[in-house]
Amino acid sequence: MAEPAAGAAPGAAALPLLGRLSFAAGHFLNDLCASLWFTYLLLYLHAVLGYGHRLAGGLLLAGQVADGLCTPLLGYETDRSTGCGRYGRRKSWHLAGTTCVLLSFPFIFNPCLGCTDSTPQWAAFIYYLPFIIIFQFGWAATQISHLSLIPELVTGDHEKVELTAFRYAFTVMANITVYGLAWLLLNFQVDQPDRTEHLGIQDVPIFRNLSLIVVGLGAVFSLIFHLGTKEKPYPPGSLPQPEESTSLLQKEPTNLPQPLLIWKDWLLEPAFYQVAVLYMLTRLIVNLSQTYIAMYLTNSLMLHKKYIATIPLVMYISGFLSSFLMKPVNKWIGRNHSGAFVYGAMSFTDKMANGLAVMAIQNLHPCPTELCCPECVSFFHWVMVLVTGGIAIAAIASLCCIMVWPIRIRYHGVCVWGLSRAETSYGGTDSMEGRSQSGAVN
């Protein structure tokens, strides 16, 4: 008989392989849509549909704001709902989010219905805005419910890490799928004599078909998730305590009660802001480079439009291979797992910073009413060099600060002890030894 994994509860059965695969398939639609959203939205709105830079940036900003606001609110709500009958609270929210994504996302990568050449751009903005908000709400609901299923499906630390690894593998597969499909559609179109090497209104069918294929594939994988993943139903009145202050992984078992912070205490912790800044900067590097690489290739390097699929595919595969180097780095630096409030707050700063950064760049564009001008050739070059490079330098400086001043949690005021949520006062914070306790977090 095989011994249970370390950290597993007594008598807990490991999730079978098919169960792990079906769980990981539950975020495939989100990953497909996210890849298409960040890489091609600005390019599609501006180079294909001919909208101005400010409108394109405004729509992306609206989506990021909606996602940033929905993530913590949905995290709070999914912990307190009972689900739809016996279907399960997490899967119920996942189904609702998936439905929103499936119904709204195809409209984003399709021309405005009823719009003509004389239609003002503000009318197009109003047309796309509801679809983007519905999509971002659905995307956040799917993401939060999917992540929160991990501690409910498995109990051991090893199994939780394994489920996360399966989930990441499907993320990699989703990005490769989007870029591979875009490459096939663009190369299939090249052989037609009425096509040009530059993007334009004639390329609307490419992005329409790409979005429809993405939605169709994602729907199939979402169906696999709902058929293959079993969630324990919670009858009304029997919900467990919310996981707001519990961690995804415990570093080591202990019989002593563990002091856990409530959300108000996190706002008093310098470590909270250390991690927030570093997380925001690293996400900005990834998102901005992914957002502007296609426009850099077409406007600055003047490459054929097929390269908007080839180069991002090569970049993503290279990034995936380099991620294997993170295992020894993690052992050296260490890593956390924390509660829903911390994750929601970090996600909020990430989404808002990315949207505001894109809007600022779009407002600085030298050709606001043209597809491109001589000045835009160097503009996207400097965006890729100065903006992402400057953020990378700031991220390195933030990481160095963390190495010099390690992340420490100082328990302020009232804390939560274990799952009993017993209240204990530590007193003030002006004395490091007498009135407050500090603990290094790795």
Side-chain angles (χ1 to χ4, degrees):
M1 176 181 294
E3 295 183 358
L15 197 67
L17 177 61
L18 289 179
R20 284 172 279 173
L21 290 174
S22 65
F23 164 80
H27 206 255
F28 195 68
L29 173 63
N30 265 20
D31 292 328
L32 290 171
C33 293
S35 179
L36 191 53
W37 167 271
F38 280 112
T39 308
Y40 296 124
L41 179 67
L42 291 183
L43 188 72
Y44 172 73
L45 292 174
H46 183 64
V48 178
L49 297 185
Y51 294 130
H53 292 281
R54 289 185 176 89
L55 180 140
L59 287 175
L60 191 143
L61 172 61
Q64 296 303 105
V65 171
D67 189 8
L69 293 175
C70 288
T71 298
L73 294 177
L74 286 170
Y76 178 87
E77 185 61 30
T78 55
D79 278 342
R80 287 153 178 81
S81 65
T82 57
C84 184
R86 297 185 57 83
Y87 196 61
R89 53 178 180 157
R90 309 299 188 187
K91 290 179 64 178
S92 296
W93 277 101
H94 188 283
L95 181 60
T98 299
T99 303
C100 290
V101 172
L102 293 176
L103 294 179
S104 61
F105 192 73
F107 288 95
I108 299 175
F109 283 90
N110 270 282
C112 170
L113 297 177
C115 294
T116 62
D117 294 338
S118 60
T119 302
Q121 292 196 7
W122 61 263
F125 182 89
I126 295 176
Y127 171 84
Y128 283 108
L129 187 60
F131 295 114
I132 289 176
I133 293 176
I134 294 172
F135 160 65
Q136 294 291 357
F137 171 85
W139 199 96
T142 304
Q143 181 194 41
I144 291 295
S145 57
H146 193 256
L147 277 173
S148 58
L149 264 176
I150 294 179
E152 296 194 9
L153 294 176
V154 293
T155 56
D157 294 353
H158 175 75
E159 286 81 4
K160 291 176 183 177
V161 173
E162 196 172 45
L163 274 188
T164 305
F166 271 82
R167 190 175 184 271
Y168 179 68
F170 273 73
T171 300
V172 173
M173 186 170 64
N175 281 269
I176 293 176
T177 299
V178 168
Y179 298 139
L181 287 172
W183 181 84
L184 288 174
L185 292 172
L186 289 167
N187 278 272
F188 178 76
Q189 187 196 42
V190 168
D191 298 332
Q192 302 180 24
D194 59 335
R195 305 299 183 182
T196 64
E197 65 178 9
H198 300 294
L199 290 168
I201 194 65
Q202 75 278 355
D203 296 302
V204 165
I206 288 181
F207 291 92
R208 179 189 63 218
N209 295 336
L210 182 58
S211 65
L212 292 176
I213 294 172
V214 159
V215 166
L217 279 176
V220 172
F221 278 82
S222 296
L223 180 62
I224 294 173
F225 164 78
H226 282 276
L227 293 178
T229 303
K230 308 300 180 183
E231 180 188 1
K232 177 184 176 182
Y234 291 100
S238 64
L239 283 177
Q241 291 289 339
E243 294 85 355
E244 179 65 38
S245 302
T246 59
S247 60
L248 182 63
L249 293 180
Q250 294 281 8
K251 287 198 53 128
E252 57 185 17
T254 177
N255 294 325
L256 298 177
Q258 298 299 310
L260 302 171
L261 276 69
I262 59 177
W263 69 272
K264 294 180 181 179
D265 294 320
W266 277 114
L267 299 178
L268 301 176
E269 290 296 336
F272 177 80
Y273 301 98
Q274 282 181 282
V275 176
V277 170
L278 181 59
Y279 179 79
M280 179 188 69
L281 293 174
T282 52
R283 290 298 301 168
L284 272 177
I285 297 171
V286 174
N287 291 335
L288 290 181
S289 60
Q290 188 177 8
T291 300
Y292 284 101
I293 184 61
M295 305 195 64
Y296 170 70
L297 295 172
T298 56
N299 294 333
S300 294
L301 299 185
M302 305 293 183
L303 296 179
H304 194 284
K305 59 187 177 184
K306 66 180 180 181
Y307 288 103
I308 66 173
T310 307
I311 302 300
L313 178 61
V314 173
M315 289 175 59
Y316 190 83
I317 293 177
S318 302
F320 169 67
L321 294 178
S322 65
S323 67
F324 289 103
L325 298 175
M326 290 307 298
K327 186 174 182 180
V329 173
N330 278 335
K331 290 183 178 179
W332 176 48
I333 298 179
R335 60 170 160 180
N336 292 341
H337 299 275
S338 194
F341 171 75
V342 176
Y343 170 76
M346 301 300 160
S347 180
F348 176 78
T349 58
D350 159 38
K351 303 298 190 301
M352 293 296 295
N354 185 71
L356 292 174
V358 168
M359 195 63 199
I361 294 172
Q362 294 297 101
N363 282 322
L364 293 174
H365 198 282
C367 322
T369 59
E370 304 175 49
L371 178 61
C372 193
C373 59
E375 289 80 8
C376 88
V377 175
S378 59
F379 176 76
F380 289 109
H381 170 78
W382 290 116
V383 167
M384 295 300 295
V385 174
L386 289 182
V387 177
T388 58
I391 296 173
I393 294 175
I396 294 174
S398 176
L399 182 60
C400 291
C401 291
I402 292 179
M403 299 300 297
V404 174
W405 295 286
I407 297 176
R408 295 182 180 275
I409 303 298
R410 299 176 302 173
Y411 301 110
H412 296 271
V414 177
C415 295
V416 180
W417 286 86
L419 295 179
S420 64
R421 305 178 75 89
E423 297 182 353
T424 303
S425 175
Y426 280 92
T429 59
D430 54 335
S431 173
M432 291 298 294
E433 295 181 0
R435 301 195 207 174
S436 66
Q437 296 185 6
S438 298
V441 177
N442 291 321

